[in-house]
Amino acid sequence: MSSILVLKDVVKTHGQVVAVNHVSLTIERGEFFSILGPSGSGKSTLLRVIAGLDIPDSGTITIQERIVNADPPHARPVNMVFQQYALFPHMTVFDNIAFGLKMQRQTQPCIRAAVEEMATLVRLEGKLQRFPEQLSGGEQQRVALGRALVNRPVVLLLDEPLAALDQQLRQDMQAELKHIQEEVNTTFVCVTHQQDEALLVSDRIGVMAAGKLLQVGTPQEIYEQPVSSTVAKFIGLSNSFSGMITRTKSGICWIEQEHFPLMMARCPKGLVAGPVFVVVRPEHIHISVDQPCNDYENTLSAVVHDVAYHGHEVFYYFCLANDSIWTARVPRAEVPTPSLVVGQSLFLQWAAHEGFALSD
Amino acid sequence: MRALPKPLVLAGFMTMLFLYVPVIILIGLSFNASAMGVTWKGFSIQWYEKLLADPSIMDATINSLIIAVLSTFFSLLLGLGLAIGMEKWRKGHASWMNILILLPLVIPEILMGVALLMVFVFLQVPLGFGSIVIGHMVFNLPLTVVILRARLRKFDPIWEDAARDLGASSWNVLTHITVPMLRPAIVGAALLSFTVSLDDFVVTFFVAGPGSTTLPLKVFSMIKTGLTPEVNALSAIMVVVSMACVGLSWLFQSQAYSFSIKHDSSS
Ligand SMILES: Nc1ncnc2c1ncn2[C@@H]1O[C@H](COP(=O)(O)OP(=O)(O)O)[C@@H](O)[C@H]1O
Ligand SMILES: [Mg+2]
């Protein structure tokens, strides 16, 4: 089956700002694709270019094998859920959801049936005669979703759909969004700046920064093999340091850092010398209280800085010789006894293959 | 809220009195049974009856209404386009357009009247309904644009984006989104234009022709032959109608969305 949405070398500038910088991207039918990036990285602009609300400076946008560059927004088979919802304040929930169908000149009975079906899907039954201002934030969000989905778009674009909701609601809606996507079996392209959100619900993720698409992959790929330090930093919760490669051998490199002893880490093919950025996942840090154990190539001395309990896991924060704070994530069952106290000195260890070096 | 000091309350009260005493006296005298001057001879509505029986006054009323409706309608049509255009291309020529559009409101009306008359004579436009409607549009159009633009400034372009995304053509965006959301301002501008047109004397005086006498012109010609109680009655009606229109206009413009356009669910 062919790809449903293909962007090729898309560039969009706002005056001096290059909001989208040579982005190429292929999205498959039925995918939940997330675009992850910090605020101002060009995510909204990218969605607007796909929807036809912004005209790209160059590049092509292909939807279902048809180049849509010249099509106005109302002729494109995509719909958008706007970051600020953009509900029409002078229309009821019913009329908001029915708007797209009215524009298609569908018959009244058709519209009524479709709107009612959609109201059930997004759980707005009984609220159809209200006005947007009479709804809670979560309900407004669902109107925005229903208003777009009722048109059965080939691709649904969502611009930070959960950003305006509070924490609890966000978690509920996140699961619901995924559920709705499976129910309607539509391709979702969802923009977010929250990595946990993207990692949880997406089939694939594209990481964006400063207008550029840095990496595309499954959540696992992005999490375990970020291609650059920017991606690694943005994916978050990483223990990292910068250093210089002194030697490489069969995929492992030796790294020098002024405050640390010589370190070993996995190293991508092209990297042979020069500055690198080394990342160690919190779940790969092993804590040795008395003396370093010989199973691991890397050992750092550290001081316990803080302890936080998160459900089944305990997060330990350590202060290192270079004053950076590292995190270790330990399952409840493996928590060291007696328990660690703040200020205690100990050793952090990890195997060479558990850390990885990235070009800085 | 803190209570206002007594002298301030008194001053405010006196000011309102100063503004409204003439109007109140006028309305009061229109119910005076006496035909002469200001002595009160008891309550009567005879002058109103006389007024309604006078065919020339009825004609003038109808003329005034036709002219007010037409000049309001065309001002709205042009004003809507102008206001939306100026708001959309705010960065371009809109700043000097902004000043140009307001100028007719501050130019002395008598100059405007003379100038309009010269233009009509020069272009050989016959004086009558057409020339008065155009004359009134000279002040109604700026008025409309100012009111519509104040509302448009609060208009979020994201609504238009959303509508376009949902399949609305430019025309549909205008009719389904922009105009309905502007409705309070449109109604307000229309009522105000209508009132100003109904009450205008100076410009009308210059550009009117035979058979197009409006109410203010009629009042003026009646006064020339003496201050009769009928004039009081006619003036009283005009004052009440004008004040009602302005009040309504203000009400529409100050209303929240939900309030003013809630009935608009055309499903
Ligand atoms: N209409 C606009 N005019 C000028 N600059 C804009 C406009 N829209 C976005 N930008 C700029 O483009 C960049 C990307 O913005 P945006 O796509 O909104 O990012 P994001 O959605 O990732 O926060 C930002 O630097 C922003 O300031
Ligand atoms: Mg954005």
Side-chain angles (χ1 to χ4, degrees), chain B residues 185-260:
Chain B
I186 290 174
V187 175
L191 284 166
L192 210 59
S193 292
F194 183 80
T195 315
V196 173
S197 174
L198 213 57
D199 293 349
D200 180 74
F201 174 75
V202 180
V203 167
T204 317
F205 181 76
F206 281 98
V207 299
S212 62
T213 302
T214 64
L215 267 182
L217 294 187
K218 180 72 191 165
V219 171
F220 184 69
S221 73
M222 283 162 76
I223 289 170
K224 275 196 285 197
T225 60
L227 206 59
T228 65
E230 281 143 290
V231 175
N232 291 345
L234 185 54
S235 307
I237 292 175
M238 286 174 70
V239 164
V240 170
V241 169
S242 298
M243 276 167 55
C245 281
V246 173
L248 275 178
S249 160
W250 175 81
L251 205 68
F252 267 99
Q253 286 181 71
S254 60
Q255 261 173 356
Y257 270 132
S258 46
F259 214 79
S260 54

Side-chain angles (χ1 to χ4, degrees), chain A residues 39-267:
Chain A
S39 176
S41 57
K43 308 179 301 288
S44 294
T45 307
L46 189 63
L47 286 195
R48 290 176 60 86
V49 165
I50 297 171
L53 297 168
D54 279 348
I55 309 295
D57 301 4
S58 63
T60 55
I61 299 139
T62 313
I63 300 172
Q64 283 186 316
E65 297 183 344
R66 182 187 145 79
I67 295 181
V68 296
N69 278 45
D71 295 357
H74 62 87
R76 297 192 189 193
V78 299
N79 285 111
M80 182 138 153
V81 176
F82 289 81
Q83 188 166 357
Q84 318 85 326
Y85 308 150
L87 301 180
F88 305 131
H90 62 296
M91 294 183 192
T92 58
V93 171
F94 184 98
D95 288 334
N96 265 283
I97 297 178
F99 189 83
L101 303 175
K102 274 186 197 162
M103 291 301 113
Q104 293 168 21
R105 303 196 176 285
Q106 295 209 6
T107 60
Q108 288 291 340
C110 268
I111 292 177
R112 181 155 291 281
V115 171
E116 270 158 15
E117 190 191 339
M118 187 47 64
T120 313
L121 182 67
V122 296
R123 297 199 285 115
L124 282 168
E125 309 101 322
K127 307 234 160 76
L128 288 175
Q129 292 315 314
R130 301 239 189 124
F131 282 83
E133 59 174 19
Q134 298 169 316
L135 300 176
S136 70
E139 288 166 342
Q140 290 184 10
Q141 211 277 334
R142 290 204 288 267
V143 178
L145 190 63
R147 183 177 74 170
L149 268 182
V150 78
N151 305 292
R152 307 203 165 280
V154 167
V155 178
L156 184 74
L157 308 168
L158 302 107
D159 195 351
E160 311 217 11
L162 310 178
L165 305 180
D166 58 44
Q167 188 61 41
Q168 182 57 45
L169 209 55
R170 186 150 66 214
Q171 281 169 3
D172 296 348
M173 266 316 281
Q174 200 167 290
E176 199 173 327
L177 212 56
K178 181 73 183 165
H179 165 77
I180 288 173
Q181 192 250 345
E182 282 159 3
E183 190 95 336
V184 296
N185 198 18
T186 299
T187 312
F188 276 32
V189 177
C190 181
V191 151
T192 177
H193 67 262
Q194 279 176 325
Q195 51 274 23
D196 52 342
E197 211 171 285
L199 290 168
L200 263 172
V201 296
S202 316
D203 296 317
R204 284 195 306 152
I205 296 174
V207 181
M208 238 180 134
K212 289 204 175 107
L213 196 59
L214 301 177
Q215 184 175 8
V216 176
T218 63
Q220 195 179 356
E221 282 166 4
I222 302 264
Y223 191 71
E224 289 180 355
Q225 292 157 5
V227 294
S228 70
S229 54
T230 319
V231 175
K233 280 177 198 155
F234 193 67
I235 283 294
L237 270 194
S238 302
N239 306 315
S240 61
F241 63 90
S242 302
M244 295 293 275
I245 293 191
T246 56
R247 176 161 95 84
T248 62
K249 193 186 165 203
S250 55
I252 296 289
C253 59
W254 280 256
I255 305 125
E256 241 174 16
Q257 214 274 355
E258 60 174 314
H259 299 282
F260 299 162
L262 197 65
M263 297 279 150
M264 291 166 75
R266 250 188 310 133
C267 149

